[in-house]
Amino acid sequence: MTHKSARARAVKARRLTSPLAAGAAIAAATGLLGMGMSAPAFGAVDKTVDDAVFSWSVNNESTGGAYFGGCNFLIAGEAGDAGMARIWTAGDAKSVYSVDDSGKFVDGNTSIVKTNGELSNFENRCTDGEGNKVNGKINAEAANNHTGDHVEIKNGTGTVDPAADNASIQWEGSWSFAYYGGMTYWTISDPKLEVKDGKGTITGTYSGFGTDMDDTSIWKKLDARDGDIVEIQQGEVDVTDSGFEFTPDYLGVETDTDGRNLQSEKTAENESWWGAMPQDWIDFNVETGQDSYWYTTAGASTSIQPRKKANPLTVEYTAQAPAPDVSTSHSVKSASAEEGLTVNVTGDGYDNLPDASTGKPSAGAYAAIVDRDLASKDVTAGNTTAVQYVMPPQIKDGKIDVDVTAKTADLDESKDYDVLTWVAHGLPTGDAELYREPLDLTDEQQNALFPGEDDEDDGAADGAEAGDDGAADGAEAGDDGAADAAEGDNDGAEGTDEGAAEGEADGAEGAEDGAADAAEGKSDDTGDADAAEGDTDGAESDDKGAADAAEGDDNGAADAAEGDDDGAEGSDEGAADAAEGDDDGSKAGAAADGSADGSDSDAGGSADGDDSDGGSDGDEDKPAKPVVEDQTVGEDRLVKGKTTPKAEVNLAWTPVAEKSAESQIKAFAATVPAEDNVTVTADGEGNFSAKAPSAKGTYAYSAIATVDGVPSDPAEFTVTVTEDEAADDDADSEGDSDGGSADGAGAGDDGATDGAEAGSASGSSASEGAADGAGAEGSSSAGPEASSTGESASGSSEGSDLPRTGADLMTLPIALGLIILGAGSVMFSRMRKR
């Protein structure tokens, strides 16, 4: 957006009286649940792994003292051909077994590691981490009878899903078992882990050379074959973001292989070590000559038998969320001073999002218009220019299509803006930021948002400043009956000196001879607004010195930005309708008797505050959004509404706290109830209901109906949860006792209306001219939660909730008595339970 003029900035400065309050109201109205809150996840995404480390000592027998050849040991890599069954020597390095340049057992990703963290080599292969030799120690109960060396394979790649205990990781590497000092040996290559719901297997490739324990002259190279290396069926794997440990199946496993020695019977003595390795493992070792070393055979606790059982296996890694494959674009849908700026945001891949900035799984996304000078990391619920929460039901096949609307009053002509999307619920930081691009406007769109204003001679005044001879200041106040201009309010919105109570209107710019036209009001030469005189709408001022602030007329009477000739924007009795008012002086948020305001009100005094009519906004492809009114619930806690019969309705809510009644800023709480999102099905007549949160308070709700997989636009409303139904009844009777109070989005009698959704309470009278607004003094807006005269949310023109009639005063002792009676009943009930 570009810079225009000092005068335009001066007018803008007065219009943007509370940008943060307006931004917060927009956030609440569009269903923003609060940044950083927890919510049900959707579309869980597997995390990637590229640094997984496989660590396993297999069992104590594989590194234990042997009957012959000193010890059994592990080497890195696939063992070569020794030519016969013989004990290996140091000279076999790099031909029979792999070592690095320093002589360590290393081959590619694989190494053999001792218990002290040092790498094993040929010299210390039969020594434990403390330097103790294990040679010839075959008693499982003897001290230092095995080295504890383990194989370590790095750089495993794959995916993990900790929430579901799923994992798939592939390693490239091999290790070999050398028994009896190398007399018999074989290899496992390229293990692959597959875990589903905590159960699974590790597969790999078996290879090696075969001999016979009774005839070592036999020597042959075996055909490689794939098979199960590890089975995980008895226990469960607890997959986490950093890894896991488990013990492979062995104990209690029975083998059906008839090897050199049979599997012994399970007894009370051997049940703590009785079992077998996977069947594929044993079948292959029938050919190597080692079969009976991999299941329990005859032997006591002092034999090698207890050393055969499997040791724990560890996998470590750093899980990372995948880079989001998300595409997003935006376009300007409409731009006008009256309706604001609407930007359409579309995207694909939004069902496969990374975690939110809080570390929790995604719960939808946010789309927003933000000040370009505002860093993404500094964006919060309160400082977006406009924001729209895209709930999971609105994301179909990964696609989003949402409109984000910023009111003109919330835009600054001198600023530039961006369109930003990010993962809910959290902040747009790191991987959670999905899209940020400049929001560029054409000259036509710019001028439509911020129309230019022309100066004329012959007594015409500058609308933003002042006029001669009793001309009114447009934004503040004027002499001689000029009324407030910038919002079109009459009767004290900013105050006038003479004739204000008669409905005089103040123009957006001053005029001579006491005539002023506000942003959309009318007045004649004496300052009295006259809508029925056929005043002419002109773009210039007349010759008699009457100044029309926005678009002057010939006879000193001004038709504002959208005024007409015959009362379309005003009334005969002097009530001026400021923005888009009706014929009878009733406004969304304004009362009769000369005070006028409005945002989008109609002739009957009812205001459509913020798309609360439940319509589909003209989109024939979408179902009508649910019709749900603001409501107070008691002990039954039933939130009720109506929608398309049999539709699925998703209800989401968050607590609301009012920081001040004057500004009506909705502050989002740090936490939400556990039941912050629920889906219900409407009955055959379209009625639906759901339980409200159990905690007392006010909640901002959003409801989306889905029919045949197509979601509606969200309907926003508030639900107030009271302590009990009795308290609700008392409050209702008190609020309705003094006739003239207005309820909800409809209007009360005598022209008093409620601005958007808030109703007047405590017996305030609409006929006294009190306007229920969104926060400005005497000014009304169609915001989601408005207060009267900018002072009290109760609707009282005095800003007070105290009763003012005899009938009101009589209810106080009655209510007090009911409270005392209720408290006594509760105490009695508790005593009975004790």
Side-chain angles (χ1 to χ4, degrees):
M1 297 186 181
T2 57
H3 169 80
K4 277 202 170 182
S5 66
R7 183 183 68 179
R9 291 198 306 273
V11 173
K12 186 63 62 182
R14 285 193 290 269
R15 292 174 66 186
L16 300 180
T17 56
S18 183
L20 290 180
I26 294 174
T30 53
L32 178 60
L33 295 183
M35 300 180 182
M37 293 183 179
S38 61
F42 78 106
V45 180
D46 287 345
K47 297 182 178 180
T48 60
V49 169
D50 59 12
D51 62 349
V53 178
F54 174 103
S55 299
W56 193 25
S57 62
V58 186
N59 62 13
N60 293 344
E61 179 62 15
S62 294
T63 64
Y67 291 102
F68 185 76
C71 68
N72 305 326
F73 58 95
L74 304 174
I75 67 163
E78 182 178 359
D81 190 351
M84 66 178 70
R86 63 176 176 84
I87 297 174
W88 293 356
T89 68
D92 290 324
K94 295 189 177 181
S95 60
V96 176
Y97 57 86
S98 297
V99 294
D100 63 10
D101 292 340
S102 63
K104 308 294 185 182
F105 288 151
V106 175
D107 181 73
N109 292 322
T110 308
S111 57
I112 306 300
V113 185
K114 306 194 79 63
T115 56
N116 61 3
E118 299 293 330
L119 296 182
S120 181
N121 58 34
F122 189 78
E123 284 69 30
N124 64 16
R125 68 192 184 284
C126 294
T127 304
D128 66 17
E130 297 178 355
N132 301 304
K133 282 187 174 293
V134 303
N135 298 55
K137 295 181 179 180
I138 58 173
N139 183 346
E141 294 182 346
N144 308 316
N145 66 82
H146 63 281
T147 68
D149 290 2
H150 66 271
V151 58
E152 184 175 279
I153 309 177
K154 297 181 178 179
N155 301 319
T157 60
T159 60
V160 296
D161 181 359
D165 283 334
N166 297 339
S168 177
I169 304 175
Q170 174 74 66
W171 287 270
E172 293 184 1
S174 304
W175 81 94
S176 299
F177 300 86
Y179 271 44
Y180 290 98
M183 294 278 298
T184 171
Y185 59 91
W186 58 282
T187 302
I188 291 177
S189 300
D190 303 332
K192 181 177 183 180
L193 170 75
E194 292 286 353
V195 175
K196 182 72 172 179
D197 298 327
K199 307 289 187 180
T201 60
I202 296 178
T203 57
T205 301
Y206 294 100
S207 64
F209 296 85
T211 187
D212 191 311
M213 295 184 70
D214 298 317
D215 184 3
T216 57
S217 65
I218 296 175
W219 188 254
K220 60 180 178 180
K221 183 176 177 62
L222 303 177
D223 293 334
R225 70 202 67 178
D226 295 335
D228 290 343
I229 306 300
V230 168
E231 292 184 353
I232 317 164
Q233 302 301 324
Q234 294 179 343
E236 291 189 354
V237 178
D238 181 15
V239 179
T240 72
D241 281 330
S242 58
F244 48 85
E245 179 180 283
F246 64 94
T247 299
D249 293 355
Y250 180 93
L251 293 177
V253 176
E254 184 176 356
T255 181
D256 58 7
T257 297
D258 291 330
R260 183 174 183 274
N261 299 302
L262 297 177
Q263 185 178 27
S264 64
E265 294 293 330
K266 184 177 180 180
T267 66
E269 181 184 3
N270 68 18
E271 65 179 352
S272 63
W273 69 76
W274 188 90
M277 296 298 276
Q279 193 64 51
D280 290 344
W281 185 304
I282 296 172
D283 288 344
F284 179 75
N285 274 282
V286 169
E287 300 183 45
T288 68
Q290 291 184 18
D291 56 272
S292 59
Y293 280 86
W294 303 110
Y295 56 85
T296 304
T297 57
S301 62
T302 55
S303 70
I304 67 170
Q305 299 304 317
R307 299 196 311 198
K308 294 180 181 180
K309 67 180 181 180
N311 287 338
L313 188 156
T314 300
V315 177
E316 296 179 332
Y317 49 75
T318 302
Q320 297 178 333
D325 185 16
V326 175
S327 61
T328 312
S329 62
H330 71 270
S331 61
V332 177
K333 191 171 184 179
S334 63
S336 69
E338 296 79 14
E339 301 297 332
L341 174 65
T342 297
V343 177
N344 178 248
V345 181
T346 59
D348 201 356
Y350 278 76
D351 57 347
N352 189 27
L353 298 179
D355 288 347
S357 64
T358 59
K360 296 182 179 180
S362 64
Y366 296 116
I369 298 172
V370 298
D371 186 341
R372 189 169 299 168
D373 293 335
L374 185 65
S376 295
K377 65 181 180 63
D378 297 327
V379 172
T380 67
N383 61 17
T384 57
T385 305
V387 65
Q388 180 70 49
Y389 172 46
V390 186
M391 300 176 67
Q394 294 175 278
I395 302 175
K396 185 174 177 60
D397 296 328
K399 300 182 184 300
I400 66 168
D401 188 341
V402 61
D403 291 341
V404 184
T405 300
K407 295 180 181 179
T408 307
D410 297 328
L411 296 168
D412 188 329
E413 186 179 3
S414 65
K415 289 182 175 292
D416 293 319
Y417 294 90
D418 291 341
V419 175
L420 173 67
T421 70
W422 70 96
V423 181
H425 296 296
L427 301 175
T429 58
D431 292 337
E433 180 178 339
L434 304 173
Y435 174 82
R436 182 163 186 168
E437 292 294 334
L439 174 57
D440 296 323
L441 300 181
T442 64
D443 290 342
E444 182 180 359
Q445 292 165 344
Q446 178 83 14
N447 293 332
L449 270 177
F450 307 108
E453 298 173 352
D454 297 327
D455 291 334
E456 291 297 327
D457 52 13
D458 194 19
D462 184 335
E465 307 301 334
D468 298 329
D469 191 19
D473 179 273
E476 306 299 330
D479 298 330
D480 194 22
D484 180 16
E487 300 293 338
D489 295 334
N490 298 334
D491 194 15
E494 295 291 340
T496 60
D497 293 338
E498 178 180 346
E502 298 298 323
E504 291 88 354
D506 179 20
E509 296 158 343
E512 295 181 3
D513 198 20
D517 182 6
E520 295 182 38
K522 294 182 179 181
S523 63
D524 61 15
D525 288 345
T526 64
D528 293 329
D530 186 1
E533 294 296 328
D535 302 331
T536 304
D537 181 6
E540 315 298 336
S541 60
D542 64 7
D543 295 335
K544 294 182 180 181
D548 182 352
E551 297 174 77
D553 60 37
D554 293 332
N555 195 26
D559 181 16
E562 293 183 53
D564 60 18
D565 292 340
D566 194 18
E569 301 281 345
S571 69
D572 293 340
E573 296 300 322
D577 186 1
E580 292 180 67
D582 55 44
D583 296 340
D584 195 31
S586 64
K587 299 295 297 170
D593 194 26
S595 72
D597 186 20
S599 226
D600 286 282
S601 59
D602 56 26
S606 63
D608 182 0
D610 202 295
D611 258 352
S612 59
D613 58 356
S616 64
D617 296 331
D619 191 341
E620 296 179 356
D621 294 332
K622 293 183 179 180
K625 63 186 177 184
V627 179
V628 195
E629 297 180 351
D630 290 353
Q631 50 197 282
T632 297
V633 298
E635 290 180 340
D636 63 354
R637 293 176 32 235
L638 280 183
V639 179
K640 299 179 180 179
K642 195 173 183 68
T643 185
T644 305
K646 303 299 183 181
E648 296 290 328
V649 183
N650 182 269
L651 298 165
W653 60 88
T654 185
V656 172
E658 294 184 5
K659 289 185 177 178
S660 72
E662 186 170 306
S663 63
Q664 291 295 303
I665 296 177
K666 288 190 176 181
F668 298 104
T671 59
V672 296
E675 66 274 25
D676 65 352
N677 187 296
V678 67
T679 299
V680 298
T681 303
D683 63 18
E685 297 180 354
N687 298 307
F688 66 87
S689 64
K691 285 286 188 179
S694 58
K696 177 183 176 183
T698 301
Y699 298 84
Y701 265 74
S702 177
I704 294 176
T706 301
V707 179
D708 296 330
V710 180
S712 70
D713 289 329
E716 288 81 28
F717 58 99
T718 60
V719 172
T720 300
V721 179
T722 61
E723 284 185 312
D724 51 56
E725 289 188 272
D728 269 308
D729 295 340
D730 292 341
D732 291 341
S733 64
E734 181 179 346
D736 295 337
S737 62
D738 191 14
S741 62
D743 184 21
D749 295 334
D750 200 19
T753 64
D754 180 80
E757 293 179 34
S760 61
S762 301
S764 63
S765 174
S767 62
E768 293 180 9
D772 186 5
E777 294 182 348
S779 170
S780 169
S781 73
E785 192 169 326
S787 67
S788 174
T789 70
E791 296 292 332
S792 170
S794 69
S796 167
S797 62
E798 299 298 324
S800 171
D801 285 329
L802 297 177
R804 295 182 295 173
T805 67
D808 290 332
L809 293 171
M810 288 177 63
T811 62
L812 294 179
I814 297 173
L816 180 59
L818 289 174
I819 292 172
I820 294 172
L821 181 60
S825 175
V826 170
M827 291 299 295
F828 181 70
S829 297
R830 290 181 177 177
M831 291 173 65
R832 289 186 63 188
K833 289 180 180 179
R834 292 178 183 173

